[in-house]
């Protein structure tokens, strides 16, 4: 029997590949982005409480009301927006499901979606499996700034959506107010939708303010914002995220969500609802990760790698141009096998494989592990 692939160019994600290679070679894994810190005991106790308390059957399809209400309160406090928990918030299986369900619900065959590359690797396959056409805007090192005039030129009658991601994975750049305003001018008087992936909303440094689309009512009325608890509470394995969107868009997302995952892990949702009552749990994150970034930058100063600035996320890029002529895919694998530090090659985030000889490190690790990695890289 012949299977006609809907995604003939897609293989196993680079995160899975590099984590496997790291395991095979006993390398320090600074590749796939996940924290290696313990989850707060109070949060674990809350989960235990709800499991023991019998909260073990299906959660409501849209998410448990207490969690949706807690999220609405949190966003109001952070971004000054008033979200209706019943019609504008949907709990999903991680932000990846929020992104997938949104694209699936909103993109039809032939629709064009503007994507900034390097792009997180789930966007383009989610567009293509739904018959959409990804229109890449290629950003270049070292600044990875967006030329909004170029974006304006790429708009066509088929443009249905623009995807932004701030703080940005993999580059660690963040969008500023001027970027959001330029975007607002471009989409004004059009039916173009916006998907804003903000899973690293709390990982932003040097006193910067996160420019969430939730701060821009003119943008939010055409938007889906995807967010996640995994990055915020050191628990990427729990797979709990959410999609924020105005009622008409939320209604469409839920049509897909209900047949994609139906509903999400219930005891965790109740536990997170309680845990969110104390804002300190997320307000402390920028300082926590900024210290990690600075520690890693300092430790890496002894190595021949040239680090690029990281303004947000728990990633930092590095050029190895003065070290090796290998392409980034080969270099990342060589570094993992021979030097015992696994990293992600940035060409994996460009649909045309653009290779600027840059790799990504994840610094969401214990101080000891970061120092040990830098030591190996010397
Ligand atoms: N978001 C994480 C990263 O960029 C990985 C997610 C995954 O492995 N699917 O490293």
């Amino acid at each position: 029997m012949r299977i006609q692939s809907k995604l003939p160019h897609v293989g196993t994600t680079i995160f899975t590949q590099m984590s496997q290679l790291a395991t095979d070679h006993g390398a320090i894994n600074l590749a796939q982005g996940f924290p290696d810190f313990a989850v707060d005991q109070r949060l674990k106790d809350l989960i235990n409480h709800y499991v023991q308390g019998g909260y073990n059957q299906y959660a409501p399809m849209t998410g448990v009301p207490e969690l949706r209400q807690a999220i609405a309160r949190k966003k109001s406090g952070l971004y000054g927006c008033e979200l209706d928990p019943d019609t504008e918030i949907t709990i999903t299986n991680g932000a990846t499901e929020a992104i997938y369900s949104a694209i699936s619900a909103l993109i039809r065959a032939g629709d064009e979606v503007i994507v900034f590359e390097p792009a997180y690797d789930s966007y383009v396959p989610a567009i293509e499996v739904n018959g959409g056409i990804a229109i890449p805007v290629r950003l270049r090192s070292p600044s990875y700034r967006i030329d909004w005039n170029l974006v304006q030129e790429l708009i066509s009658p088929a443009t249905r959506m623009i995807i932004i991601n701030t703080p940005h994975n993999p580059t660690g750049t963040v969008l500023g107010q001027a970027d959001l305003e330029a975007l607002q001018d471009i989409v004004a008087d059009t039916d173009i939708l916006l998907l804003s992936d903000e899973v690293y909303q709390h990982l932003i440094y040097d006193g910067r303010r996160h420019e969430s689309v939730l701060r821009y009512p003119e943008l939010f009325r055409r938007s889906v914002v995807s967010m996640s608890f995994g990055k915020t509470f050191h628990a990427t394995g729990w797979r709990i995220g959410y999609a924020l969107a105005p009622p008409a868009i939320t209604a469409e997302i839920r049509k897909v969500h209900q047949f994609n995952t139906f509903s999400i892990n219930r005891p965790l949702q109740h536990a997170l609802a309680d845990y969110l009552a104390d804002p300190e749990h997320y307000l402390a994150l920028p300082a926590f990760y900024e210290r990690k970034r600075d520690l890693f930058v300092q430790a890496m100063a002894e190595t021949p790698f040239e680090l690029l600035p990281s303004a947000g996320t728990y990633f930092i890029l590095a050029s190895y141009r003065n070290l090796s002529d290998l392409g980034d895919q080969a270099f990342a694998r060589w570094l993992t096998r021979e030097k015992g530090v696994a990293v992600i090659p940035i060409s994996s985030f460009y649909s045309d494989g653009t290779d600027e000889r840059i790799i990504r490190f994840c610094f969401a690790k214990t101080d000891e592990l970061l120092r040990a990695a830098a030591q190996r890289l010397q």
Side-chain angles (χ1 to χ4, degrees):
M1 214 181 112
R2 207 162 63 90
I3 306 292
Q4 269 204 314
S5 175
K6 289 182 75 178
L7 295 171
H9 308 298
V10 172
T12 302
T13 79
I14 190 68
F15 308 116
T16 302
Q17 288 184 44
M18 294 310 299
S19 280
Q20 186 60 53
L21 199 64
T23 306
D24 292 349
H25 294 275
I28 296 175
N29 190 354
L30 303 189
Q32 189 180 28
F34 61 89
D36 71 348
F37 323 114
V39 169
D40 186 353
Q41 187 58 43
R42 169 159 157 72
L43 183 49
K44 290 194 279 193
D45 289 344
L46 282 166
I47 294 168
N48 202 15
H49 167 78
Y50 284 107
V51 172
Q52 297 299 338
Y55 290 76
N56 297 311
Q57 306 311 323
Y58 296 120
M61 179 273 279
T62 58
V64 304
E66 294 85 346
L67 181 56
R68 286 185 279 108
Q69 286 154 10
I71 290 170
R73 277 194 298 274
K74 177 181 176 201
K75 301 306 157 191
S76 168
L78 286 172
Y79 307 122
C81 61
E82 298 309 318
L83 295 167
D84 181 341
D86 292 331
T87 59
E88 299 189 304
I89 302 178
T90 309
I91 310 300
T92 57
N93 186 18
T96 301
E97 195 244 317
I99 292 163
Y100 184 84
S101 289
I103 290 174
S104 215
L106 300 167
I107 297 304
R108 297 159 185 263
D111 283 347
E112 293 181 359
V113 182
I114 292 180
V115 178
F116 298 98
E117 292 187 341
Y120 185 57
D121 71 342
S122 87
Y123 306 155
V124 172
I127 295 162
E128 291 180 345
V129 81
N130 286 292
I133 301 160
I135 307 292
V137 178
R138 296 199 178 90
L139 310 179
R140 297 293 172 156
S141 71
S143 77
Y144 296 101
R145 297 283 25 129
I146 295 176
D147 176 350
W148 292 103
N149 293 323
L150 180 63
V151 177
Q152 178 74 67
E153 284 167 23
L154 289 172
I155 304 284
S156 84
T159 308
R160 179 75 177 138
M161 180 184 273
I162 298 175
I163 303 181
I164 59 171
N165 171 215
T166 184
H168 184 261
N169 179 8
T171 64
T173 57
V174 300
L175 295 182
Q177 194 175 335
D179 292 299
L180 278 283
E181 284 168 1
L183 175 59
Q184 195 162 291
D185 288 345
I186 289 173
V187 294
D189 306 319
T190 73
D191 284 331
I192 297 172
L193 298 161
L194 187 63
L195 173 56
S196 184
D197 181 3
E198 302 183 17
V199 297
Y200 298 98
Q201 62 176 319
H202 296 300
L203 279 58
I204 184 157
Y205 313 127
D206 309 312
R208 288 182 185 83
R209 179 178 104 147
H210 172 52
E211 291 302 327
S212 174
V213 160
L214 297 171
R215 295 185 192 274
Y216 297 80
E218 274 308 301
L219 283 177
F220 182 65
R221 60 184 192 84
R222 59 177 75 242
S223 293
V224 181
V225 179
S226 58
M227 291 181 165
S228 146
F229 292 111
K231 281 83 183 168
T232 307
F233 297 137
H234 313 322
T236 59
W238 290 355
R239 314 301 304 133
I240 304 209
Y242 46 100
L244 310 175
I249 298 178
T250 290
E252 295 307 313
I253 294 173
R254 288 176 177 177
K255 289 179 190 175
V256 173
H257 163 74
Q258 67 183 341
F259 298 124
N260 190 359
T261 57
F262 181 60
S263 71
I264 307 304
N265 186 309
R266 185 163 184 191
L268 262 64
Q269 288 192 61
H270 284 288
L272 285 165
D274 289 356
Y275 193 70
L276 281 177
D278 182 359
E280 199 44 40
H281 292 141
Y282 47 86
L283 295 179
L285 275 176
F288 174 81
Y289 273 116
E290 188 173 313
R291 197 194 134 268
K292 291 281 172 198
R293 180 201 61 180
D294 292 348
L295 184 147
F296 187 61
V297 168
Q298 205 181 6
M300 288 291 288
E302 307 290 315
T303 74
F305 290 91
E306 288 169 33
L307 294 184
L308 277 63
S310 170
T313 74
Y314 44 47
F315 303 117
I316 189 161
L317 299 186
S319 165
Y320 59 89
R321 244 175 289 214
N322 51 10
L323 258 175
S324 167
D325 289 330
L326 288 175
D328 69 353
Q329 297 284 338
F331 183 78
R333 285 165 174 82
W334 172 82
L335 200 68
T336 308
R337 278 194 308 265
E338 305 299 328
K339 301 293 162 193
V341 180
V343 295
I344 297 286
I346 294 309
S347 65
S348 292
F349 299 100
Y350 286 99
S351 49
D352 70 349
T354 294
D355 183 353
E356 296 190 289
R357 302 224 175 100
I358 291 178
I359 51 172
R360 188 194 79 176
F361 293 99
C362 172
F363 57 79
K365 306 293 169 191
T366 60
D367 294 2
E368 298 71 51
L369 205 69
L370 292 175
R371 286 202 191 93
Q375 185 74 41
R376 289 184 183 189
L377 294 172
Q378 282 176 33

